[in-house]
Amino acid sequence: MMEAGMHMPPKRKPLRSGANTSTLDQRRQEGLIHNSEGPNASLGKIDHGVTENPYERRFSPYDFNGGTCVAIAGPDYAVIAADTRLSSGYEILSRNMSKLHPLSGKCILGSAGCKTDVDQLRSVLDIKMKMYLHNHRKTMSTPAVAQMLGNTLYYKRFFPYYAFNVFGGIDEEGKGAVYSYDAIGSFERTPVTATGSGQAYIIPLLDNVIAHRNRLDEKRDLPKEEVVEIVKDAFLSCGERDIYTGDQVEISVITKDGIETSFFALKRD
Amino acid sequence: MPSQRSPPPLEFAHGTTTLSFAFQGGIIAAVDSRASLGSFVGSKTTQKVLPVSSHILGTMAGGAADCQHWIRALKKEALLHELTEDGRRMSVARASRILANHLYALRGYDLSVGTMIMGYDDHGINSKDDHDTRSSTPYIYYADNTGLRIQGDIFAVGSGSTFALGILDTEENRYNLSVDEAVALGIKAIRHATFRDAYSGGYINVFLITPKDGWRKVYTEDIARNPEIWKALQTEINENS
């Protein structure tokens, strides 16, 4: 499982005792020489593991572009929502980048993580959906797409798609179906799920309010309008505490009649 | 002065608790349902018992995706076997061998799988019974990502396995238990393991396999909603409100 790492420069370790720290540094401190002079001139501020303790620099094929996705299944609907912020490091690259991608008229894939892997995964799934349609003369059912997504992710078990997915839609009986995944394709049908950078903030809230856990009052069926309001509240809270979540929420409600999408503004800080 | 060897690195063994044992009335498989993403609980409702055929179950411990994928691949091969071998079911030995061979081939690729393949065979395979009676010898095989495959009567796999075995091993009369008592033993062992092991929790699921009827789920309990504790909590809240 990939961890979202902050790319910070390695800490400078103190020089080993006994090293000559006197003349050059004293002169540097007095402002007599700059880094552009002296034995380390060509290095400037970058130490290549020569004078101080060695460390490893390595190219990482992954970048973490942030974001949170949520999906909730109802008796005859599924709600899937994601923020629209695209970040890299401390920068915001876009405030309006959609994380939701309809795979058929009845199901939507929401993915956070590394945008390039997400885009590639979507391409691959779209092609597979089209091939199924051509071969079987019908659109893939939602549970079948869920299994296909799991298999597609495991196919790259040894160089994974850095994509944190939620998948929601209407199953063959007309009920809402939501599936949660890990990065390499293990999946499970659940009533409620969230993934991405804000996962740890949203899931406990949804566990209590939607899945009705750890509550003593009577559980009642929630209409989809109320679920949408709860999702907005959840993203408001998540946006307050997670730097990668914010700007806008894109909320899609899937019913047997189709997909309705709406947008909700969040704080842009 | 002898030089100090540093202790071997801490191996983190599959955050879960799964166990199985054979007794006179069948085979019990009991599991928890927690899937951890580091220290975050990724899922409280993971299905860790995966059916391979009508009479064979596999359990999941280790990497969820690895176990799900390879046991599903095994399920496919078992079904194909039935369809091509004139309805004869694949034996437990063969199923576990197929899985273990896949895992051995992928040694060194950092898979994480610790599974138990258990069940009963079709009549006439590996048994001294005559062809009309169904084989009644229970088989439990443990297979893991190193390619190890061993047969036994009782196994527990996962980070909570030691706690579960403590409960299972102190039951001296294990083979002669009735079905209800055996189920209760499985529940007790998992409950104790979830109590002591931080990486186990969620639901307790217990399955029973019999030679006649195959597998079925016999018990499921949300540990958070343990009936006695829940009732006590509710009365306390009602009294105080």
Side-chain angles (χ1 to χ4, degrees), chain A residues 58-134:
Chain A
R58 181 180 272 243
F59 168 69
S60 166
Y62 297 114
D63 191 17
F64 182 63
N65 298 125
T68 308
C69 303
V70 164
I72 297 165
D76 59 351
Y77 61 85
V79 174
I80 180 162
D83 71 320
T84 59
R85 174 176 285 180
L86 185 76
S87 1
S88 176
Y90 285 123
E91 296 169 29
I92 295 177
L93 299 173
S94 169
R95 296 193 192 276
N96 196 18
M97 181 63 73
S98 173
K99 296 188 175 65
L100 303 182
H101 180 72
L103 285 173
S104 75
K106 285 202 281 185
C107 61
I108 294 181
L109 172 70
S111 316
C114 174
K115 181 79 173 44
T116 172
D117 273 355
V118 165
D119 284 343
Q120 182 66 10
L121 178 65
R122 286 175 185 171
S123 278
V124 166
L125 291 173
D126 279 341
I127 290 170
K128 288 187 174 181
M129 297 285 298
K130 196 179 268 189
M131 279 169 57
Y132 185 98
L133 179 60
H134 288 323

Side-chain angles (χ1 to χ4, degrees), chain B residues 29-44:
Chain B
V31 298
D32 74 318
S33 72
R34 176 170 290 183
S36 20
L37 298 175
S39 61
F40 183 72
V41 176
S43 169
K44 294 180 288 200

Side-chain angles (χ1 to χ4, degrees), chain A residues 1 3 147 150-151 154-155 157-158 180 182 184-191 194 199-201 203-204 207 212-216, chain B residues 37-38 40-47 64-70 72 106 109-112 203 222 224-225 230 233-234 237:
Chain A
M1 284 297 301
E3 273 296 299
Q147 180 73 61
N151 290 347
Y154 197 83
Y155 198 67
R157 166 67 173 82
F158 301 116
S180 44
D182 75 353
I184 45 174
S186 116
F187 73 102
E188 192 197 335
R189 183 169 175 172
T190 48
Q199 175 184 43
Y201 306 113
I203 286 193
D207 270 349
H212 213 267
R213 294 185 65 88
N214 301 314
R215 289 169 77 127
L216 291 172
Chain B
L37 298 175
F40 183 72
V41 176
S43 169
K44 294 180 288 200
T45 51
T46 327
Q47 290 304 324
D66 292 332
C67 289
Q68 266 190 11
H69 185 269
W70 289 106
R72 187 166 180 260
L106 289 168
Y109 280 86
D110 270 334
L111 287 187
S112 175
Y203 286 73
D222 181 352
R225 288 262 183 153
W230 194 243
L233 189 67
Q234 274 184 308
I237 289 175

Side-chain angles (χ1 to χ4, degrees), chain B residues 220-233:
Chain B
T220 180
E221 178 195 310
D222 181 352
I223 296 174
R225 288 262 183 153
N226 178 274
E228 296 105 34
I229 299 175
W230 194 243
K231 214 181 301 180
L233 189 67

